[in-house]
Amino acid sequence: MSKDFGLSGDAKAKLLARVGVRAPLVAEPEPEVARPRLPLGRPEVAADLSMMARAGAALGIRDPFFRPHEGVAGATTVIDGRSYDNFVSYNYLGLNGDVRVNEAAKDAVDRYGTSVSASRIVSGERPIHRALEQALADLYRTEDALTLVSGHATNVTVIGHLVGRDDLILHDSLSHNSIVQGALASGAQRLSFPHNDFDELDRMLSARRAQVERALIVVEGHYSMDGDIPDLARLVAVAKRHRAHLMVDEAHSLGVLGPRGHGIFEHAGVDPAHVDIWMGTLSKTLSGCGGYIAASAELIDYLRKSAPGFVYSVGLPPPVAAAALACLEIMRDEPERVAQVQANGAHFLKACKAAGLDTGPSIGAAIVPVMTGSSIVAARAADRLFDLGINVQPIIYPAVPEQAARLRFFISSLHRPEQLDRVATTLADVLADVAKQRVDLAELAGRIAAA
Ligand code: PMP
């Protein structure tokens, strides 16, 4: 009998591969090293980063990113030993650093340590997780809720795990990166509709709905760049008409919208049951880190047992879960904080408008952009304001289209009206001054190229 048991060469190779035996190595000629070893990463992103750094240097602007704060960042913050009026932190209800929140976190550390040392499904479950999830489910009046270790990863893993190739995701054109990444991960068809334009969404669904199994609409309750909100009642009607599922990201709405800070549904007077999936983060009002989903018991059970970013990732650290729960309790007991952040947002919006500034579509809650119309003006103004003791981030191309460049102010319940007035006046002066400085773009381009 032949040594090959009568198998063809191909069948033999397949059999060997199946039983894990490697085919004998045949010495192959060393391939020629023809191409250089390129740096990893996306070349177009690296080019953008390098261009921004060279443009900043050519304009004499300091890098506004990664500035280390030396304590809790609230209405003011300390950077490099100097105190600044602070507008870069989403500490909306001023609860980060609150002594009660700190105590809750410390107690949790004393009881459970700093980590749960495993995915919750195996041995990372602690009572504090379910207590937080119950509180979140109560807030959204859903059957259940689930918390995950990152807000960004929550959108990626949950959206990516709820729909697939035969489905359609429609998201607002200004959606956060995590929503877009989740949609891409799902493999579903993805369409973005013009910002807050639910007539167009309706038309898109009319054209596409019949060709897909399921349609999932994803919006945010309070947009983090523009500070505006969707018309939730209208959106619910469109979703129902097309038998679409609806998901709302409340990252910037919790603690900010509605009389008790329960978010866009409370603000709009819409029954939260009309939304299938409430998503939010623990990193803003709740002074922690992580994301959550509040939904039906069936959907939460499915995610709890199968969403990759939950099943294959560690459970929330106990101090983070305890801090978030403490924040929810304080928000419930001290609604005046919610009223204060809303009053401050409205106050700042009014002060900016009175000073002749363009605040875009902001409703004047926790996010107020001041449009500058150009990245250079935004970057220069932020740099000048920093010298004057005001810390605000410039949002520049490519994060937004060039003509939508802006300074973005995050408002907290801790800001004081006189502080907001002073900042609005200083800002108007600085912007007027910076706008006067003409930039020779051709000359600047030459210097950037030479840098
Ligand atoms: N959703 C929205 C709308 C956000 O703005 C953010 C980040 N700020 C996230 C999700 C991600 O949340 P986190 O930073 O907590 O990971």
Side-chain angles (χ1 to χ4, degrees), residues 158-164 166-172 175 179-193 201 204-205 212 214-218 245:
V158 169
I159 297 173
H161 202 54
L162 289 181
V163 286
D166 299 328
D167 303 318
L168 172 65
I169 293 183
L170 300 112
H171 64 78
D172 191 280
S175 287
I179 294 172
V180 176
Q181 296 295 329
L184 291 171
S186 75
Q189 294 171 49
R190 179 177 76 89
L191 292 175
S192 105
F193 56 89
L201 173 66
M204 289 163 92
L205 277 161
V212 292
R214 295 170 296 189
L216 173 66
I217 304 169
V218 191
H245 294 267

PDB file of all heavy atoms in Angstrom, residues 158-164 166-172 175 179-193 201 204-205 212 214-218 245:
ATOM      1  N   VAL A 158     -22.307  47.633  21.541  1.00  0.00           N
ATOM      2  CA  VAL A 158     -23.766  47.417  21.563  1.00  0.00           C
ATOM      3  C   VAL A 158     -24.360  47.603  20.167  1.00  0.00           C
ATOM      4  O   VAL A 158     -25.076  46.730  19.669  1.00  0.00           O
ATOM      5  CB  VAL A 158     -24.434  48.342  22.605  1.00  0.00           C
ATOM      6  CG1 VAL A 158     -25.945  48.318  22.459  1.00  0.00           C
ATOM      7  CG2 VAL A 158     -24.040  47.900  24.010  1.00  0.00           C
ATOM      8  N   ILE A 159     -24.034  48.699  19.508  1.00  0.00           N
ATOM      9  CA  ILE A 159     -24.587  48.904  18.158  1.00  0.00           C
ATOM     10  C   ILE A 159     -24.068  47.784  17.252  1.00  0.00           C
ATOM     11  O   ILE A 159     -24.813  47.198  16.473  1.00  0.00           O
ATOM     12  CB  ILE A 159     -24.212  50.302  17.612  1.00  0.00           C
ATOM     13  CG1 ILE A 159     -24.819  51.388  18.495  1.00  0.00           C
ATOM     14  CG2 ILE A 159     -24.701  50.455  16.166  1.00  0.00           C
ATOM     15  CD1 ILE A 159     -24.394  52.803  18.159  1.00  0.00           C
ATOM     16  N   GLY A 160     -22.785  47.469  17.415  1.00  0.00           N
ATOM     17  CA  GLY A 160     -22.190  46.428  16.588  1.00  0.00           C
ATOM     18  C   GLY A 160     -22.809  45.064  16.807  1.00  0.00           C
ATOM     19  O   GLY A 160     -22.696  44.177  15.961  1.00  0.00           O
ATOM     20  N   HIS A 161     -23.482  44.872  17.929  1.00  0.00           N
ATOM     21  CA  HIS A 161     -24.000  43.559  18.300  1.00  0.00           C
ATOM     22  C   HIS A 161     -25.521  43.449  18.151  1.00  0.00           C
ATOM     23  O   HIS A 161     -26.085  42.403  18.423  1.00  0.00           O
ATOM     24  CB  HIS A 161     -23.610  43.306  19.761  1.00  0.00           C
ATOM     25  CG  HIS A 161     -23.587  41.866  20.142  1.00  0.00           C
ATOM     26  ND1 HIS A 161     -22.869  40.915  19.457  1.00  0.00           N
ATOM     27  CD2 HIS A 161     -24.227  41.197  21.138  1.00  0.00           C
ATOM     28  CE1 HIS A 161     -23.049  39.737  20.027  1.00  0.00           C
ATOM     29  NE2 HIS A 161     -23.872  39.878  21.032  1.00  0.00           N
ATOM     30  N   LEU A 162     -26.168  44.542  17.777  1.00  0.00           N
ATOM     31  CA  LEU A 162     -27.631  44.514  17.713  1.00  0.00           C
ATOM     32  C   LEU A 162     -28.181  44.347  16.312  1.00  0.00           C
ATOM     33  O   LEU A 162     -29.297  43.890  16.130  1.00  0.00           O
ATOM     34  CB  LEU A 162     -28.206  45.806  18.318  1.00  0.00           C
ATOM     35  CG  LEU A 162     -28.080  45.931  19.830  1.00  0.00           C
ATOM     36  CD1 LEU A 162     -28.702  47.233  20.298  1.00  0.00           C
ATOM     37  CD2 LEU A 162     -28.737  44.753  20.540  1.00  0.00           C
ATOM     38  N   VAL A 163     -27.407  44.778  15.333  1.00  0.00           N
ATOM     39  CA  VAL A 163     -27.870  44.662  13.943  1.00  0.00           C
ATOM     40  C   VAL A 163     -26.746  44.080  13.101  1.00  0.00           C
ATOM     41  O   VAL A 163     -25.588  44.037  13.535  1.00  0.00           O
ATOM     42  CB  VAL A 163     -28.307  46.046  13.388  1.00  0.00           C
ATOM     43  CG1 VAL A 163     -29.632  46.487  13.958  1.00  0.00           C
ATOM     44  CG2 VAL A 163     -27.233  47.097  13.621  1.00  0.00           C
ATOM     45  N   GLY A 164     -27.114  43.651  11.889  1.00  0.00           N
ATOM     46  CA  GLY A 164     -26.109  43.016  11.030  1.00  0.00           C
ATOM     47  C   GLY A 164     -26.341  43.343   9.567  1.00  0.00           C
ATOM     48  O   GLY A 164     -27.042  44.305   9.238  1.00  0.00           O
ATOM     49  N   ASP A 166     -28.131  42.441   7.135  1.00  0.00           N
ATOM     50  CA  ASP A 166     -29.429  42.623   6.462  1.00  0.00           C
ATOM     51  C   ASP A 166     -30.186  43.837   6.977  1.00  0.00           C
ATOM     52  O   ASP A 166     -31.349  44.043   6.637  1.00  0.00           O
ATOM     53  CB  ASP A 166     -30.302  41.372   6.667  1.00  0.00           C
ATOM     54  CG  ASP A 166     -29.627  40.151   6.075  1.00  0.00           C
ATOM     55  OD1 ASP A 166     -28.917  40.311   5.071  1.00  0.00           O
ATOM     56  OD2 ASP A 166     -29.789  39.049   6.647  1.00  0.00           O
ATOM     57  N   ASP A 167     -29.532  44.609   7.837  1.00  0.00           N
ATOM     58  CA  ASP A 167     -30.220  45.711   8.512  1.00  0.00           C
ATOM     59  C   ASP A 167     -29.672  47.068   8.060  1.00  0.00           C
ATOM     60  O   ASP A 167     -28.674  47.142   7.352  1.00  0.00           O
ATOM     61  CB  ASP A 167     -30.052  45.556  10.031  1.00  0.00           C
ATOM     62  CG  ASP A 167     -30.580  44.213  10.515  1.00  0.00           C
ATOM     63  OD1 ASP A 167     -31.649  43.800  10.045  1.00  0.00           O
ATOM     64  OD2 ASP A 167     -29.898  43.573  11.337  1.00  0.00           O
ATOM     65  N   LEU A 168     -30.339  48.097   8.548  1.00  0.00           N
ATOM     66  CA  LEU A 168     -29.971  49.469   8.174  1.00  0.00           C
ATOM     67  C   LEU A 168     -29.828  50.308   9.449  1.00  0.00           C
ATOM     68  O   LEU A 168     -30.699  50.256  10.323  1.00  0.00           O
ATOM     69  CB  LEU A 168     -31.087  50.049   7.288  1.00  0.00           C
ATOM     70  CG  LEU A 168     -31.012  51.532   6.923  1.00  0.00           C
ATOM     71  CD1 LEU A 168     -29.788  51.807   6.051  1.00  0.00           C
ATOM     72  CD2 LEU A 168     -32.287  51.959   6.186  1.00  0.00           C
ATOM     73  N   ILE A 169     -28.731  51.048   9.535  1.00  0.00           N
ATOM     74  CA  ILE A 169     -28.575  52.007  10.636  1.00  0.00           C
ATOM     75  C   ILE A 169     -28.650  53.401  10.037  1.00  0.00           C
ATOM     76  O   ILE A 169     -27.976  53.700   9.043  1.00  0.00           O
ATOM     77  CB  ILE A 169     -27.211  51.834  11.339  1.00  0.00           C
ATOM     78  CG1 ILE A 169     -27.163  50.498  12.058  1.00  0.00           C
ATOM     79  CG2 ILE A 169     -26.955  52.975  12.314  1.00  0.00           C
ATOM     80  CD1 ILE A 169     -25.883  50.269  12.832  1.00  0.00           C
ATOM     81  N   LEU A 170     -29.480  54.239  10.626  1.00  0.00           N
ATOM     82  CA  LEU A 170     -29.530  55.636  10.213  1.00  0.00           C
ATOM     83  C   LEU A 170     -29.124  56.466  11.416  1.00  0.00           C
ATOM     84  O   LEU A 170     -29.734  56.356  12.486  1.00  0.00           O
ATOM     85  CB  LEU A 170     -30.945  56.011   9.777  1.00  0.00           C
ATOM     86  CG  LEU A 170     -31.474  55.184   8.603  1.00  0.00           C
ATOM     87  CD1 LEU A 170     -32.609  54.302   9.053  1.00  0.00           C
ATOM     88  CD2 LEU A 170     -31.911  56.094   7.472  1.00  0.00           C
ATOM     89  N   HIS A 171     -28.082  57.257  11.263  1.00  0.00           N
ATOM     90  CA  HIS A 171     -27.652  58.078  12.403  1.00  0.00           C
ATOM     91  C   HIS A 171     -27.524  59.529  11.990  1.00  0.00           C
ATOM     92  O   HIS A 171     -27.302  59.847  10.815  1.00  0.00           O
ATOM     93  CB  HIS A 171     -26.346  57.544  13.010  1.00  0.00           C
ATOM     94  CG  HIS A 171     -25.170  57.613  12.084  1.00  0.00           C
ATOM     95  ND1 HIS A 171     -24.483  58.772  11.850  1.00  0.00           N
ATOM     96  CD2 HIS A 171     -24.566  56.661  11.340  1.00  0.00           C
ATOM     97  CE1 HIS A 171     -23.499  58.532  11.001  1.00  0.00           C
ATOM     98  NE2 HIS A 171     -23.534  57.255  10.660  1.00  0.00           N
ATOM     99  N   ASP A 172     -27.638  60.403  12.965  1.00  0.00           N
ATOM    100  CA  ASP A 172     -27.518  61.836  12.713  1.00  0.00           C
ATOM    101  C   ASP A 172     -26.119  62.141  12.177  1.00  0.00           C
ATOM    102  O   ASP A 172     -25.131  61.528  12.590  1.00  0.00           O
ATOM    103  CB  ASP A 172     -27.753  62.590  14.029  1.00  0.00           C
ATOM    104  CG  ASP A 172     -27.912  64.078  13.813  1.00  0.00           C
ATOM    105  OD1 ASP A 172     -26.877  64.769  13.646  1.00  0.00           O
ATOM    106  OD2 ASP A 172     -29.060  64.554  13.813  1.00  0.00           O
ATOM    107  N   SER A 175     -23.305  62.674  14.654  1.00  0.00           N
ATOM    108  CA  SER A 175     -23.151  61.642  15.692  1.00  0.00           C
ATOM    109  C   SER A 175     -21.708  61.519  16.167  1.00  0.00           C
ATOM    110  O   SER A 175     -20.768  61.672  15.388  1.00  0.00           O
ATOM    111  CB  SER A 175     -23.579  60.285  15.148  1.00  0.00           C
ATOM    112  OG  SER A 175     -24.969  60.237  15.016  1.00  0.00           O
ATOM    113  N   ILE A 179     -20.649  56.114  17.824  1.00  0.00           N
ATOM    114  CA  ILE A 179     -21.859  55.635  17.142  1.00  0.00           C
ATOM    115  C   ILE A 179     -21.490  55.182  15.729  1.00  0.00           C
ATOM    116  O   ILE A 179     -21.908  54.112  15.269  1.00  0.00           O
ATOM    117  CB  ILE A 179     -22.923  56.759  17.115  1.00  0.00           C
ATOM    118  CG1 ILE A 179     -23.393  57.056  18.544  1.00  0.00           C
ATOM    119  CG2 ILE A 179     -24.096  56.392  16.205  1.00  0.00           C
ATOM    120  CD1 ILE A 179     -24.290  58.269  18.685  1.00  0.00           C
ATOM    121  N   VAL A 180     -20.664  55.979  15.073  1.00  0.00           N
ATOM    122  CA  VAL A 180     -20.248  55.632  13.710  1.00  0.00           C
ATOM    123  C   VAL A 180     -19.432  54.337  13.728  1.00  0.00           C
ATOM    124  O   VAL A 180     -19.646  53.432  12.909  1.00  0.00           O
ATOM    125  CB  VAL A 180     -19.414  56.791  13.098  1.00  0.00           C
ATOM    126  CG1 VAL A 180     -18.901  56.405  11.717  1.00  0.00           C
ATOM    127  CG2 VAL A 180     -20.259  58.059  13.020  1.00  0.00           C
ATOM    128  N   GLN A 181     -18.536  54.221  14.710  1.00  0.00           N
ATOM    129  CA  GLN A 181     -17.708  53.004  14.788  1.00  0.00           C
ATOM    130  C   GLN A 181     -18.582  51.776  15.054  1.00  0.00           C
ATOM    131  O   GLN A 181     -18.334  50.699  14.513  1.00  0.00           O
ATOM    132  CB  GLN A 181     -16.668  53.123  15.906  1.00  0.00           C
ATOM    133  CG  GLN A 181     -15.642  54.225  15.707  1.00  0.00           C
ATOM    134  CD  GLN A 181     -14.742  53.988  14.517  1.00  0.00           C
ATOM    135  OE1 GLN A 181     -14.462  52.859  14.162  1.00  0.00           O
ATOM    136  NE2 GLN A 181     -14.317  55.047  13.876  1.00  0.00           N
ATOM    137  N   GLY A 182     -19.604  51.941  15.892  1.00  0.00           N
ATOM    138  CA  GLY A 182     -20.515  50.831  16.175  1.00  0.00           C
ATOM    139  C   GLY A 182     -21.256  50.421  14.918  1.00  0.00           C
ATOM    140  O   GLY A 182     -21.417  49.227  14.629  1.00  0.00           O
ATOM    141  N   ALA A 183     -21.707  51.421  14.160  1.00  0.00           N
ATOM    142  CA  ALA A 183     -22.434  51.135  12.928  1.00  0.00           C
ATOM    143  C   ALA A 183     -21.513  50.392  11.953  1.00  0.00           C
ATOM    144  O   ALA A 183     -21.926  49.417  11.321  1.00  0.00           O
ATOM    145  CB  ALA A 183     -22.953  52.433  12.312  1.00  0.00           C
ATOM    146  N   LEU A 184     -20.266  50.838  11.858  1.00  0.00           N
ATOM    147  CA  LEU A 184     -19.325  50.164  10.955  1.00  0.00           C
ATOM    148  C   LEU A 184     -19.089  48.728  11.418  1.00  0.00           C
ATOM    149  O   LEU A 184     -19.055  47.796  10.618  1.00  0.00           O
ATOM    150  CB  LEU A 184     -17.989  50.933  10.917  1.00  0.00           C
ATOM    151  CG  LEU A 184     -18.043  52.311  10.226  1.00  0.00           C
ATOM    152  CD1 LEU A 184     -16.740  53.069  10.441  1.00  0.00           C
ATOM    153  CD2 LEU A 184     -18.330  52.163   8.738  1.00  0.00           C
ATOM    154  N   ALA A 185     -18.938  48.549  12.727  1.00  0.00           N
ATOM    155  CA  ALA A 185     -18.665  47.210  13.262  1.00  0.00           C
ATOM    156  C   ALA A 185     -19.823  46.254  12.998  1.00  0.00           C
ATOM    157  O   ALA A 185     -19.623  45.049  12.854  1.00  0.00           O
ATOM    158  CB  ALA A 185     -18.387  47.298  14.763  1.00  0.00           C
ATOM    159  N   SER A 186     -21.031  46.783  12.938  1.00  0.00           N
ATOM    160  CA  SER A 186     -22.205  45.909  12.781  1.00  0.00           C
ATOM    161  C   SER A 186     -22.274  45.268  11.399  1.00  0.00           C
ATOM    162  O   SER A 186     -22.880  44.219  11.239  1.00  0.00           O
ATOM    163  CB  SER A 186     -23.486  46.715  13.010  1.00  0.00           C
ATOM    164  OG  SER A 186     -23.754  47.542  11.884  1.00  0.00           O
ATOM    165  N   GLY A 187     -21.692  45.927  10.417  1.00  0.00           N
ATOM    166  CA  GLY A 187     -21.793  45.423   9.047  1.00  0.00           C
ATOM    167  C   GLY A 187     -23.108  45.786   8.381  1.00  0.00           C
ATOM    168  O   GLY A 187     -23.362  45.424   7.234  1.00  0.00           O
ATOM    169  N   ALA A 188     -23.986  46.505   9.101  1.00  0.00           N
ATOM    170  CA  ALA A 188     -25.264  46.926   8.516  1.00  0.00           C
ATOM    171  C   ALA A 188     -25.013  48.039   7.501  1.00  0.00           C
ATOM    172  O   ALA A 188     -23.971  48.691   7.529  1.00  0.00           O
ATOM    173  CB  ALA A 188     -26.195  47.431   9.619  1.00  0.00           C
ATOM    174  N   GLN A 189     -25.995  48.260   6.633  1.00  0.00           N
ATOM    175  CA  GLN A 189     -25.901  49.433   5.768  1.00  0.00           C
ATOM    176  C   GLN A 189     -25.986  50.651   6.683  1.00  0.00           C
ATOM    177  O   GLN A 189     -26.748  50.648   7.651  1.00  0.00           O
ATOM    178  CB  GLN A 189     -27.072  49.484   4.805  1.00  0.00           C
ATOM    179  CG  GLN A 189     -27.091  48.373   3.789  1.00  0.00           C
ATOM    180  CD  GLN A 189     -28.412  48.401   3.023  1.00  0.00           C
ATOM    181  OE1 GLN A 189     -28.837  49.439   2.535  1.00  0.00           O
ATOM    182  NE2 GLN A 189     -29.071  47.257   2.961  1.00  0.00           N
ATOM    183  N   ARG A 190     -25.239  51.677   6.342  1.00  0.00           N
ATOM    184  CA  ARG A 190     -25.182  52.850   7.229  1.00  0.00           C
ATOM    185  C   ARG A 190     -25.490  54.097   6.423  1.00  0.00           C
ATOM    186  O   ARG A 190     -24.870  54.342   5.401  1.00  0.00           O
ATOM    187  CB  ARG A 190     -23.783  52.950   7.831  1.00  0.00           C
ATOM    188  CG  ARG A 190     -23.567  54.126   8.738  1.00  0.00           C
ATOM    189  CD  ARG A 190     -22.176  54.077   9.328  1.00  0.00           C
ATOM    190  NE  ARG A 190     -21.153  54.470   8.380  1.00  0.00           N
ATOM    191  CZ  ARG A 190     -20.718  55.714   8.188  1.00  0.00           C
ATOM    192  NH1 ARG A 190     -21.238  56.702   8.898  1.00  0.00           N
ATOM    193  NH2 ARG A 190     -19.771  55.977   7.316  1.00  0.00           N
ATOM    194  N   LEU A 191     -26.455  54.858   6.904  1.00  0.00           N
ATOM    195  CA  LEU A 191     -26.769  56.134   6.260  1.00  0.00           C
ATOM    196  C   LEU A 191     -26.757  57.213   7.324  1.00  0.00           C
ATOM    197  O   LEU A 191     -27.242  56.984   8.442  1.00  0.00           O
ATOM    198  CB  LEU A 191     -28.161  56.092   5.630  1.00  0.00           C
ATOM    199  CG  LEU A 191     -28.364  55.171   4.423  1.00  0.00           C
ATOM    200  CD1 LEU A 191     -29.835  55.189   4.023  1.00  0.00           C
ATOM    201  CD2 LEU A 191     -27.484  55.612   3.254  1.00  0.00           C
ATOM    202  N   SER A 192     -26.202  58.371   6.988  1.00  0.00           N
ATOM    203  CA  SER A 192     -26.284  59.458   7.955  1.00  0.00           C
ATOM    204  C   SER A 192     -27.260  60.496   7.401  1.00  0.00           C
ATOM    205  O   SER A 192     -27.235  60.804   6.210  1.00  0.00           O
ATOM    206  CB  SER A 192     -24.886  60.009   8.242  1.00  0.00           C
ATOM    207  OG  SER A 192     -24.683  61.239   7.622  1.00  0.00           O
ATOM    208  N   PHE A 193     -28.171  60.945   8.255  1.00  0.00           N
ATOM    209  CA  PHE A 193     -29.154  61.931   7.786  1.00  0.00           C
ATOM    210  C   PHE A 193     -28.745  63.311   8.297  1.00  0.00           C
ATOM    211  O   PHE A 193     -28.073  63.431   9.322  1.00  0.00           O
ATOM    212  CB  PHE A 193     -30.579  61.566   8.238  1.00  0.00           C
ATOM    213  CG  PHE A 193     -30.755  61.385   9.719  1.00  0.00           C
ATOM    214  CD1 PHE A 193     -31.074  62.469  10.520  1.00  0.00           C
ATOM    215  CD2 PHE A 193     -30.609  60.136  10.304  1.00  0.00           C
ATOM    216  CE1 PHE A 193     -31.244  62.315  11.898  1.00  0.00           C
ATOM    217  CE2 PHE A 193     -30.779  59.961  11.680  1.00  0.00           C
ATOM    218  CZ  PHE A 193     -31.087  61.054  12.471  1.00  0.00           C
ATOM    219  N   LEU A 201     -35.043  62.178   7.265  1.00  0.00           N
ATOM    220  CA  LEU A 201     -34.971  60.809   7.800  1.00  0.00           C
ATOM    221  C   LEU A 201     -36.199  60.011   7.342  1.00  0.00           C
ATOM    222  O   LEU A 201     -36.089  58.855   6.920  1.00  0.00           O
ATOM    223  CB  LEU A 201     -34.904  60.860   9.336  1.00  0.00           C
ATOM    224  CG  LEU A 201     -34.999  59.517  10.045  1.00  0.00           C
ATOM    225  CD1 LEU A 201     -33.782  58.646   9.748  1.00  0.00           C
ATOM    226  CD2 LEU A 201     -35.142  59.701  11.556  1.00  0.00           C
ATOM    227  N   MET A 204     -35.777  59.082   3.785  1.00  0.00           N
ATOM    228  CA  MET A 204     -34.777  58.021   3.609  1.00  0.00           C
ATOM    229  C   MET A 204     -35.367  56.668   3.990  1.00  0.00           C
ATOM    230  O   MET A 204     -35.145  55.655   3.318  1.00  0.00           O
ATOM    231  CB  MET A 204     -33.526  58.328   4.457  1.00  0.00           C
ATOM    232  CG  MET A 204     -32.710  59.495   3.923  1.00  0.00           C
ATOM    233  SD  MET A 204     -31.566  60.143   5.153  1.00  0.00           S
ATOM    234  CE  MET A 204     -30.127  59.217   4.825  1.00  0.00           C
ATOM    235  N   LEU A 205     -36.133  56.661   5.054  1.00  0.00           N
ATOM    236  CA  LEU A 205     -36.746  55.404   5.482  1.00  0.00           C
ATOM    237  C   LEU A 205     -37.790  54.945   4.468  1.00  0.00           C
ATOM    238  O   LEU A 205     -37.903  53.741   4.178  1.00  0.00           O
ATOM    239  CB  LEU A 205     -37.367  55.569   6.867  1.00  0.00           C
ATOM    240  CG  LEU A 205     -36.369  55.423   8.017  1.00  0.00           C
ATOM    241  CD1 LEU A 205     -36.912  56.026   9.298  1.00  0.00           C
ATOM    242  CD2 LEU A 205     -36.019  53.949   8.247  1.00  0.00           C
ATOM    243  N   VAL A 212     -34.808  46.150   3.872  1.00  0.00           N
ATOM    244  CA  VAL A 212     -33.986  45.628   4.973  1.00  0.00           C
ATOM    245  C   VAL A 212     -34.859  44.950   6.018  1.00  0.00           C
ATOM    246  O   VAL A 212     -36.064  45.197   6.094  1.00  0.00           O
ATOM    247  CB  VAL A 212     -33.147  46.757   5.642  1.00  0.00           C
ATOM    248  CG1 VAL A 212     -32.085  47.261   4.686  1.00  0.00           C
ATOM    249  CG2 VAL A 212     -34.035  47.890   6.130  1.00  0.00           C
ATOM    250  N   ARG A 214     -34.306  45.023   9.529  1.00  0.00           N
ATOM    251  CA  ARG A 214     -34.543  45.922  10.669  1.00  0.00           C
ATOM    252  C   ARG A 214     -33.890  47.268  10.396  1.00  0.00           C
ATOM    253  O   ARG A 214     -32.878  47.342   9.698  1.00  0.00           O
ATOM    254  CB  ARG A 214     -33.959  45.333  11.959  1.00  0.00           C
ATOM    255  CG  ARG A 214     -34.638  44.053  12.373  1.00  0.00           C
ATOM    256  CD  ARG A 214     -33.916  43.361  13.483  1.00  0.00           C
ATOM    257  NE  ARG A 214     -32.586  42.926  13.094  1.00  0.00           N
ATOM    258  CZ  ARG A 214     -31.792  42.148  13.826  1.00  0.00           C
ATOM    259  NH1 ARG A 214     -32.207  41.712  14.985  1.00  0.00           N
ATOM    260  NH2 ARG A 214     -30.588  41.805  13.401  1.00  0.00           N
ATOM    261  N   ALA A 215     -34.480  48.304  10.971  1.00  0.00           N
ATOM    262  CA  ALA A 215     -33.864  49.631  10.848  1.00  0.00           C
ATOM    263  C   ALA A 215     -33.633  50.153  12.264  1.00  0.00           C
ATOM    264  O   ALA A 215     -34.517  50.053  13.120  1.00  0.00           O
ATOM    265  CB  ALA A 215     -34.770  50.563  10.078  1.00  0.00           C
ATOM    266  N   LEU A 216     -32.430  50.663  12.506  1.00  0.00           N
ATOM    267  CA  LEU A 216     -32.106  51.237  13.821  1.00  0.00           C
ATOM    268  C   LEU A 216     -31.718  52.699  13.617  1.00  0.00           C
ATOM    269  O   LEU A 216     -30.793  53.001  12.850  1.00  0.00           O
ATOM    270  CB  LEU A 216     -30.933  50.468  14.453  1.00  0.00           C
ATOM    271  CG  LEU A 216     -30.367  51.039  15.753  1.00  0.00           C
ATOM    272  CD1 LEU A 216     -31.394  50.964  16.885  1.00  0.00           C
ATOM    273  CD2 LEU A 216     -29.082  50.286  16.170  1.00  0.00           C
ATOM    274  N   ILE A 217     -32.435  53.592  14.304  1.00  0.00           N
ATOM    275  CA  ILE A 217     -32.116  55.022  14.235  1.00  0.00           C
ATOM    276  C   ILE A 217     -31.326  55.372  15.493  1.00  0.00           C
ATOM    277  O   ILE A 217     -31.728  55.006  16.602  1.00  0.00           O
ATOM    278  CB  ILE A 217     -33.406  55.875  14.200  1.00  0.00           C
ATOM    279  CG1 ILE A 217     -34.294  55.453  13.031  1.00  0.00           C
ATOM    280  CG2 ILE A 217     -33.067  57.358  14.122  1.00  0.00           C
ATOM    281  CD1 ILE A 217     -35.697  56.062  13.091  1.00  0.00           C
ATOM    282  N   VAL A 218     -30.204  56.067  15.319  1.00  0.00           N
ATOM    283  CA  VAL A 218     -29.413  56.462  16.489  1.00  0.00           C
ATOM    284  C   VAL A 218     -29.215  57.977  16.480  1.00  0.00           C
ATOM    285  O   VAL A 218     -28.749  58.546  15.486  1.00  0.00           O
ATOM    286  CB  VAL A 218     -28.031  55.775  16.507  1.00  0.00           C
ATOM    287  CG1 VAL A 218     -27.358  55.994  17.857  1.00  0.00           C
ATOM    288  CG2 VAL A 218     -28.151  54.279  16.216  1.00  0.00           C
ATOM    289  N   HIS A 245     -36.300  50.743  15.102  1.00  0.00           N
ATOM    290  CA  HIS A 245     -35.898  50.807  16.512  1.00  0.00           C
ATOM    291  C   HIS A 245     -35.199  52.142  16.731  1.00  0.00           C
ATOM    292  O   HIS A 245     -34.564  52.678  15.832  1.00  0.00           O
ATOM    293  CB  HIS A 245     -34.946  49.670  16.847  1.00  0.00           C
ATOM    294  CG  HIS A 245     -35.592  48.316  16.763  1.00  0.00           C
ATOM    295  ND1 HIS A 245     -36.171  47.694  17.847  1.00  0.00           N
ATOM    296  CD2 HIS A 245     -35.769  47.490  15.721  1.00  0.00           C
ATOM    297  CE1 HIS A 245     -36.677  46.532  17.471  1.00  0.00           C
ATOM    298  NE2 HIS A 245     -36.441  46.380  16.180  1.00  0.00           N
TER     299      HIS A 245
END
